[in-house]
Amino acid sequence: FFDWLGGTSDDWSDSSNWQGGNGVGVDDTARIFNSDIAGSPDPTPNNTVLKSGDSATVTRVWLGNQSAPESGALTVQSGATLSTSGDFIVSQNSTLASSGAISVGNGNGMIVRDSGNVTLNSGATLNKLTLSEDSTATLNAGSSVTTIQNLANNAQLTMNNTYSSNLDMNNASSLTVNGTLNGRFGVASTAMQYIGETGTVNGDIE
């Protein structure tokens, strides 16, 4: 495990910004917390940015420190690539904003929980997204997620992009479609589903 310190700059690829001064590699877990965002008790000097043209491959990315709890913030710029062989967890009010390519090796994909927030902007790609426990995600036009797990546990998802698969809401989750959903639009329990004035659903609506 190597923690983000951010003492030199906001650049992920600058090794001196990481605990131990050697950066993070394929066998490492990158932990990012205490970033300079609201609610952080002891903010690091600089938030974490994987810059355009850079690539990083690690075992895990953990945004947020659940034991404290403390928040983290990560930006993946357009043209940057971030890959994990294992977990990618966004938790504890942490924020991820991406315009680049993220690939997660864990079978559940990127897990967003405990009030974590994810924003995928135009150009962003992600192989799999799992939303749970008060999480929030916004998929803007021009972003792409291959697989979205069925929503649960108060998760809130806003889709301004195009998604081609079935999607079900469970528990007290909610989904707003302002883009295009090519698949079943299913709902269970007290979940809510909304279709905005720019939204289109090409599939069964339950």
Side-chain angles (χ1 to χ4, degrees):
F1 296 88
F2 292 96
D3 295 338
W4 172 261
L5 304 178
T8 304
S9 65
D10 64 359
D11 189 353
W12 171 299
S13 299
D14 187 331
S15 298
S16 64
N17 284 313
W18 292 94
Q19 178 186 13
N22 295 313
V24 285
V26 295
D27 297 322
D28 302 327
T29 295
R31 297 195 302 187
I32 302 169
F33 61 93
N34 270 345
S35 295
D36 190 11
I37 57 178
S40 294
D42 184 23
T44 56
N46 294 286
N47 289 338
T48 319
V49 179
L50 185 61
K51 296 185 179 294
S52 180
D54 289 344
S55 62
T57 301
V58 294
T59 298
R60 305 177 192 88
V61 173
W62 288 357
L63 269 177
N65 180 7
Q66 193 157 357
S67 61
E70 298 164 310
S71 303
L74 172 62
T75 299
V76 179
Q77 293 184 344
S78 176
T81 302
L82 178 56
S83 302
T84 74
S85 58
D87 298 336
F88 195 129
I89 297 175
V90 183
S91 67
Q92 302 304 327
N93 290 298
S94 297
T95 59
L96 168 69
S98 177
S99 300
I102 298 177
S103 177
V104 182
N106 183 288
N108 289 316
M110 180 184 293
I111 299 172
V112 190
R113 66 189 190 201
D114 303 318
S115 300
N117 181 278
V118 169
T119 301
L120 300 185
N121 297 310
S122 178
T125 61
L126 175 64
N127 59 325
K128 194 169 187 178
L129 177 65
T130 298
L131 299 175
S132 191
E133 287 105 18
D134 303 303
S135 60
T136 304
T138 301
L139 311 181
N140 286 321
S143 66
S144 174
V145 179
T146 305
T147 303
I148 302 173
Q149 292 271 60
N150 294 335
L151 277 66
N153 300 326
N154 301 305
Q156 299 180 51
L157 174 60
T158 301
M159 292 176 51
N160 303 319
N161 63 343
T162 298
Y163 180 67
S164 297
S165 188
N166 296 331
L167 196 55
D168 294 329
M169 284 66 62
N170 301 290
N171 308 119
S173 62
S174 69
L175 171 62
T176 300
V177 177
N178 296 319
T180 301
L181 173 61
N182 296 312
R184 184 182 67 247
F185 198 27
V187 65
S189 189
T190 58
M192 294 295 296
Q193 52 188 179
Y194 304 92
I195 304 174
E197 62 177 299
T198 60
T200 300
V201 176
N202 297 312
D204 294 337
I205 300 177
E206 300 177 355

